[in-house]
Amino acid sequence: MGKKIGIDLGTTYSCVSYIDDTGNIAIVEAAEGGNTTPSVVYFDPDTNEAVVGSTARQEGALHPESMVERVKNYMGDPYYTMNINGNEYSPAAISSLILKKLITDTENWLGGEEIEGAIITCPAYFGDAAREATRVAGENVTLSNGEKLKVLQILDEPVAAALAYGNSKREDMQKRVLVYDLGGGTFDVTVMDLNFVGDNRSMEVITTNGNHQLGGKDWDTALATYVVNQFCSATGADPEEVMNDPEQIQWYSENIEKAKRTLTNKETVSLTPNFNGAREKIEITREIFDQETESLLNQTIILIEDMMAKKQLTMDCIDEIILVGGSTRMPQVKKRLEDEYHKPIVSYDPDKAVATGAALVAAGLQASSTTAAPGEDPVQPVSGGSIVIGGETGEQTEIIVKCTKSYGLLALANGQDIIANIIMKDSEKPAVETRRFGTSAENQINLNLRVYENDSVTADATVEESTELYENCIVELTPGLPAGAPIDITFNLDASGILVITALDVTNNISKVVQPVRIGGDINNVGMDAIQGTLLR
Ligand code: ADP
Ligand code: MG
């Protein structure tokens, strides 16, 4: 029996954890040192050899066109591929390379012990296409024994973080917590219930929100803009010219993030940019940094308020705020949340909590209540329904898994196109729901079902806020129905995200079952073969 590991496949940094033979949480050290690996891939323009991690970032600084960063933002996008050095890659293929590097480092770290399987985490807001892309990325990693990596689960990041936190406490708790995760390129907020009492524990996501284009990188940009402006007003240089100069771009990318991290520990930092012979020392205080980035922090508060309002919740129901993600190290985060909400705030290992939680689930994964048939592997479905994990001391924790999106059909209401939601966001998975529709014309011969997902928690959503998921799906009708004849549409979304649609013609009591085809379902395979042959240094 090998190790089951937990992988936090982050937008900017990734981390691997496992439970060691003494039952302790261990973190894999990257080949270059450190507990986290930058999620950056660089393809050598001459050899097309790929490198991942801090080396990729260093080498890629000189050839940004051959470097890929923040690929996670595009996971599951049915239309997105990227061309690097003339080759086409899907986000899943690039992620697979990152995972390959993490697995190689893990195998070396474990010194010969095999990897039996992995849990890979993803943001709670990921829809099914993005989860599927993550699973495909993992399943395409070849282990050193020649077998493919077994992906045991795709697990929500806030669930993993909250589990790691709960585990570290080792005490009974019944709490509603708000998990505030500010990473490098994304912000996520999740309300969760933790019921850790005695041996039967459970945890459940109540709701979630986020902005997938807001993270530490925006704080870097704000700081860089400030420094450029200060430098230019002192030296008379042209800000446009500075910001478009390749050497300056490299200097700023090397120094700004470092300066930001320094401001986490110190009240001031100074930088001395150099441009066209002009030099100027610029002092930045934490106060200035906080002012320059206040509007960014405000956006996270607005997203919290928006999430609470949508679900008609108030902060009164929150017992504690858990901080996750590297950017929550900035003192402004804790200070602002304290001033705003007056709740206890805990910071549990912001870089490693997600990987640690995934490792705890991996190690404790048991057969779910849907017991496996004899001879069948008792591992649960990927991205499945409730997960049951066992701890060292005999306790069991049930993780109740929810739909992170609403799913509905394009329909006409009062002459307007709307999305009539059938399965609502935050309902438990698997989910089965029915909604009644009417035919639009007399003697209609078929229905053209168009399935969308959205983040709305109301019965009807707008087309603008929704994304179409499947190819048009045609269902034939028995001729002779009057206009407005009732048709009951049932969505059955199973634990692994597979949707089956049933259309019941109520008048004739005829029901038809269809499984729609996902738009761009094959995109994950783009470049997947090419990367198999790409050597990693
Ligand atoms: P992700 O989940 O997006 O991969 P992480 O949670 O690892 O990202 O967070 C990475 C972000 O955290 C980066 O923007 C990085 O600059 C920031 N960060 C890490 N350490 C610190 C620190 N000490 N002070 C301020 N920001 C930090
Ligand atoms: Mg993260």
Side-chain angles (χ1 to χ4, degrees):
M1 274 291 172
K3 279 269 175 296
K4 291 180 187 156
I5 62 172
I7 304 177
D8 170 6
L9 181 61
T11 313
T12 41
Y13 289 93
S14 296
C15 180
V16 183
S17 176
Y18 61 95
I19 307 303
D20 72 14
D21 297 336
T22 58
N24 289 316
I25 292 161
I27 303 284
V28 172
E29 199 173 294
E32 302 80 16
N35 290 144
T36 58
T37 297
S39 308
V40 179
V41 181
Y42 170 66
F43 292 89
D44 189 308
D46 299 322
T47 62
N48 210 36
E49 196 180 41
V51 273
V52 176
S54 47
T55 322
R57 181 172 282 165
Q58 280 152 19
E59 296 186 14
L62 299 169
H63 295 280
E65 71 288 350
S66 300
M67 178 171 76
V68 189
E69 289 183 280
R70 289 192 280 278
V71 68
K72 191 172 167 181
N73 283 344
Y74 304 100
M75 290 294 265
D77 183 329
Y79 306 107
Y80 190 89
T81 58
M82 62 211 97
N83 188 301
I84 302 140
N85 303 342
N87 298 308
E88 212 64 44
Y89 301 97
S90 66
I94 299 293
S95 299
S96 195
L97 271 174
I98 298 170
L99 287 165
K100 170 75 184 166
K101 151 78 173 166
L102 298 173
I103 290 293
T104 306
D105 283 357
T106 305
E107 287 181 322
N108 290 335
W109 180 256
L110 290 173
E113 191 179 355
E114 291 197 349
I115 295 171
E116 199 191 317
I119 290 196
I120 307 175
T121 59
C122 75
Y125 68 79
F126 260 23
D128 288 312
R131 284 164 199 263
E132 170 74 3
T134 307
R135 183 181 65 76
V136 171
E139 285 176 352
N140 274 284
V141 173
T142 308
L143 302 171
S144 62
N145 64 11
E147 287 177 21
K148 293 282 186 194
L149 176 67
K150 198 163 174 184
V151 179
L152 304 169
Q153 276 277 337
I154 302 296
L155 182 71
D156 288 357
E157 287 162 10
V159 172
L163 184 67
Y165 165 70
N167 182 71
S168 75
K169 288 284 192 206
R170 291 247 145 254
E171 63 191 37
D172 285 356
M173 59 169 95
Q174 263 185 309
K175 280 180 186 162
R176 179 161 279 188
V177 297
L178 185 140
V179 182
Y180 179 106
D181 182 351
L182 187 60
T186 54
F187 170 68
D188 288 304
V189 59
T190 309
V191 176
M192 292 194 65
D193 280 348
L194 308 182
N195 275 301
F196 289 2
V197 179
D199 284 347
N200 285 315
R201 300 157 159 241
S202 73
M203 51 199 298
E204 160 170 23
V205 172
I206 304 303
T207 190
T208 169
N209 201 3
N211 178 343
H212 318 129
Q213 303 295 341
L214 177 68
K217 66 163 186 3
D218 298 301
W219 271 254
D220 298 346
T221 306
L223 181 56
T225 307
Y226 174 78
V227 174
V228 169
N229 288 338
Q230 290 297 109
F231 176 81
C232 292
S233 56
T235 62
D238 175 24
E240 283 289 310
E241 227 180 290
V242 174
M243 283 189 273
N244 290 316
D245 182 272
E247 271 178 35
Q248 292 291 305
I249 292 171
Q250 198 185 336
W251 186 88
Y252 277 88
S253 84
E254 277 168 15
N255 291 283
I256 287 290
E257 198 213 356
K258 264 189 226 152
K260 176 185 75 174
R261 288 182 190 238
T262 304
L263 285 172
T264 290
N265 301 317
K266 295 202 172 132
E267 288 291 335
T268 62
V269 65
S270 66
L271 286 171
T272 313
N274 220 321
F275 181 65
N276 283 349
R279 253 171 86 89
E280 185 69 28
K281 185 172 175 185
I282 292 156
E283 293 277 350
I284 306 132
T285 61
R286 190 185 287 164
E287 199 185 338
I288 291 177
F289 176 63
D290 289 355
Q291 275 167 15
E292 295 295 314
T293 53
E294 196 185 352
S295 63
L296 297 169
L297 200 54
N298 282 346
Q299 290 182 44
T300 69
I301 303 293
I302 292 167
L303 285 159
I304 295 175
E305 308 281 321
D306 174 57
M307 169 185 73
M308 300 304 269
K310 264 189 180 170
K311 293 291 283 190
Q312 284 150 9
L313 296 171
T314 66
M315 280 311 278
D316 293 343
C317 73
I318 302 292
D319 299 308
E320 212 164 75
I321 298 174
I322 303 176
L323 301 183
V324 190
S327 297
T328 60
R329 287 220 162 86
M330 296 185 293
Q332 55 171 259
V333 173
K334 184 163 184 237
K335 190 168 170 294
R336 178 67 191 271
L337 291 170
E338 259 164 5
D339 290 350
E340 200 79 40
Y341 299 124
H342 315 286
K343 299 283 177 185
I345 297 178
V346 294
S347 174
Y348 179 71
D349 217 339
D351 294 328
K352 294 176 252 163
V354 171
T356 302
L360 286 167
V361 177
L365 208 59
Q366 300 171 339
S368 63
S369 43
T370 48
T371 19
E376 205 179 278
D377 204 345
V379 168
Q380 294 141 40
V382 169
S383 195
S386 295
I387 308 166
V388 181
I389 61 167
E392 293 157 56
T393 49
E395 84 272 8
Q396 290 210 326
T397 308
E398 186 184 13
I399 302 170
I400 298 159
V401 178
K402 301 287 190 67
C403 298
T404 53
K405 302 279 176 191
S406 294
Y407 300 86
L409 282 184
L410 181 69
L412 210 58
N414 304 322
Q416 292 251 326
D417 276 347
I418 57 145
I419 304 303
N421 281 329
I422 298 177
I423 288 176
M424 302 304 295
K425 174 177 168 169
D426 304 327
S427 50
E428 205 168 313
K429 258 190 187 177
V432 184
E433 295 293 342
T434 303
R435 184 163 172 176
R436 178 159 292 182
F437 294 81
T439 52
S440 55
E442 196 184 324
N443 200 23
Q444 195 172 321
I445 54 163
N446 60 37
L447 298 167
N448 181 6
L449 304 179
R450 295 181 62 186
V451 182
Y452 284 71
E453 72 176 12
N454 55 71
D455 287 307
S456 170
V457 288
T458 52
D460 295 338
T462 62
V463 179
E464 291 71 42
E465 67 183 322
S466 307
T467 310
E468 189 157 21
L469 287 182
Y470 298 94
E471 311 276 353
N472 290 8
C473 188
I474 310 286
V475 177
E476 282 176 19
L477 292 175
T478 309
L481 289 173
I487 308 286
D488 285 348
I489 302 286
T490 302
F491 276 11
N492 186 337
L493 189 70
D494 83 359
S496 41
I498 293 168
L499 179 70
V500 175
I501 304 174
T502 308
L504 172 68
D505 163 2
V506 178
T507 316
N508 296 304
N509 196 25
I510 296 172
S511 101
K512 300 232 163 107
V513 180
V514 276
Q515 195 190 324
V517 176
R518 191 183 284 289
I519 293 171
D522 291 337
I523 196 145
N524 293 330
N525 298 325
V526 174
M528 211 49 108
D529 287 341
I531 61 145
Q532 301 301 331
T534 312
L535 287 174
L536 284 162
R537 271 184 271 142

